[in-house]
Amino acid sequence: MKIAILGPGAWGTALGNVLAKQGNQVVLIGKKDIYQSINTLHENTIKFPGVRLSDNLSYSINEEESLKDIFYLVFAVPSKAYREEARKVNEFFKKNPPKEKITPISLAKGFDPTSHERLSSVLREEINEEYRNSIVTLVGPSFAEEVIVDRVTCLDAVSLEEKEAKKVQSLFKGSNLRLYTIQDEVGAEFFAALKNVLAIAGGILKGMDQGENAKAALITRGSHEILRLVLAYGGKEETVLALCGIGDLILTCSSEKSRNYSLGLKIGKADSAKEVLAENKETVEGVYSSKYALSLAKAKNIDVPLTEAVYKILFEGGRPSVVLSSLMDRPFKAEEDV
């Protein structure tokens, strides 16, 4: 079975390697030839030096050729690139209609930078239904560094149509990547994006030399904060307890393997975000998501003090030490009212 993956970065390579070892012909699609080592050495020397990749995994800069005769198309690009990539894919299919509808699989955790829409909605809008099945989103506690070396990982396959989620679930049978299915697309995607904001907060706390007590409070109160948004926009409460919910939140709020946490760590140590953001060259989805999360909260008149605190630090020049003090000085409330 042929599978194409847009984006040859860490997550695209790791997931592609799992699928390739299952006997599928997997092609990673990128714009630069810096990943040619995948074809010559069977190694992604940039993201995973020293890790041998499956012979069934290849790399191409020829997107049109790579999209021919595929069954699945994985989006492993940053959220800001989703709409442009989906439009290009749709234009290709207009000229070269697939023999069978393809299944798009979404990996990024964020929102569209212009419309603030969920990413599955972007793919649904931009790729005509005559060319595709229902969108499937893979989310949950996962670091590419562990997936690439076959460490046990569990994710949720999220789709409005359960049969499509089950199809994707079966793709990974026999591997150390185990999938569960879920149909709450709103809850899963909201939590996946918004937990990145809290991961930045977790890193900031660590950088300020706060301890495990503070981290536990952040995870607990943060999950309540996201829950309010999830429910307000039509998601389900039980999703918060899923792998794509609290599972992902615990992981990304606790490890420097998370780009969001690592960025926050630097900000906390510097007690300022300005220079850290200026020097950052990587895609950190939580930075953008903090903007959209605050906008979504204001639209529904929902109090999100932790999200607002991260936004102030990132975009309004707030010093983490001052912002933390203001959070601790908030009026006392019963926990169910917070």
Side-chain angles (χ1 to χ4, degrees), residues 7-177:
W11 195 211
T13 299
L15 194 75
N17 196 51
V18 174
L19 292 168
K21 288 195 294 185
Q22 298 301 101
N24 300 293
Q25 293 299 316
V26 183
V27 57
L28 292 166
I29 305 170
K31 296 180 180 179
K32 301 177 181 179
D33 60 4
I34 55 178
Y35 291 97
Q36 288 290 359
S37 60
I38 293 173
N39 293 334
T40 57
L41 303 175
H42 298 291
E43 180 182 339
N44 186 328
T45 54
I46 298 170
K47 298 298 183 181
F48 304 116
V51 177
R52 168 80 184 189
L53 302 175
S54 170
D55 291 348
N56 291 332
L57 183 66
S58 62
Y59 174 75
S60 176
I61 59 174
N62 188 332
E63 183 168 328
E64 291 197 353
E65 185 64 30
S66 300
L67 291 177
K68 291 180 180 178
D69 301 320
I70 61 171
F71 289 85
Y72 294 90
L73 177 59
V74 181
F75 283 78
V77 294
S79 58
K80 62 183 179 181
Y82 260 55
R83 194 174 296 278
E84 178 186 358
E85 290 297 331
R87 285 176 177 172
K88 287 166 60 179
V89 167
N90 195 64
E91 287 303 309
F92 172 79
F93 286 145
K94 282 182 179 179
K95 300 173 185 176
N96 306 273
K99 296 176 183 178
E100 297 181 23
K101 289 186 177 183
I102 62 105
T103 298
I105 300 176
S106 173
L107 300 186
K109 302 171 181 178
F111 299 103
D112 180 84
T114 303
S115 67
H116 299 181
E117 291 175 280
R118 292 179 291 106
L119 298 180
S120 63
S121 296
V122 172
L123 297 184
R124 198 174 289 117
E125 287 177 7
E126 300 297 342
I127 304 177
N128 293 348
E129 194 171 0
E130 63 186 288
Y131 307 136
R132 60 157 180 85
N133 296 309
S134 182
I135 314 299
V136 179
T137 301
L138 295 188
V139 281
S142 53
F143 287 138
E145 295 91 337
E146 296 187 13
V147 172
I148 197 70
V149 292
D150 289 326
R151 289 186 174 173
V152 170
T153 302
C154 296
L155 302 174
D156 284 324
V158 186
S159 181
L160 296 178
E161 293 187 22
E162 188 178 21
K163 67 176 183 178
E164 290 304 317
K166 287 184 175 180
K167 279 170 54 179
V168 174
Q169 185 183 47
S170 67
L171 275 177
F172 297 91
K173 185 178 181 181
S175 72
N176 277 339
L177 188 57

Side-chain angles (χ1 to χ4, degrees), residues 187-201:
E189 289 189 77
F190 261 68
F191 210 108
L194 300 181
K195 60 85 186 173
N196 284 332
V197 181
L198 298 179
I200 292 176

Side-chain angles (χ1 to χ4, degrees), residues 109 111 190-204 218 225-226 249 252-253 260-261 264 284-294 304 306-311 314:
K109 302 171 181 178
F111 299 103
F190 261 68
F191 210 108
L194 300 181
K195 60 85 186 173
N196 284 332
V197 181
L198 298 179
I200 292 176
I204 290 173
L218 172 69
E225 193 163 298
I226 298 176
L249 178 61
T252 50
C253 277
N260 295 281
Y261 183 91
V284 182
E285 294 284 6
V287 174
Y288 310 105
S289 292
S290 67
K291 281 185 176 181
Y292 314 146
L294 196 57
V304 286
L306 294 173
T307 299
E308 189 170 2
V310 173
Y311 178 86
L314 294 176

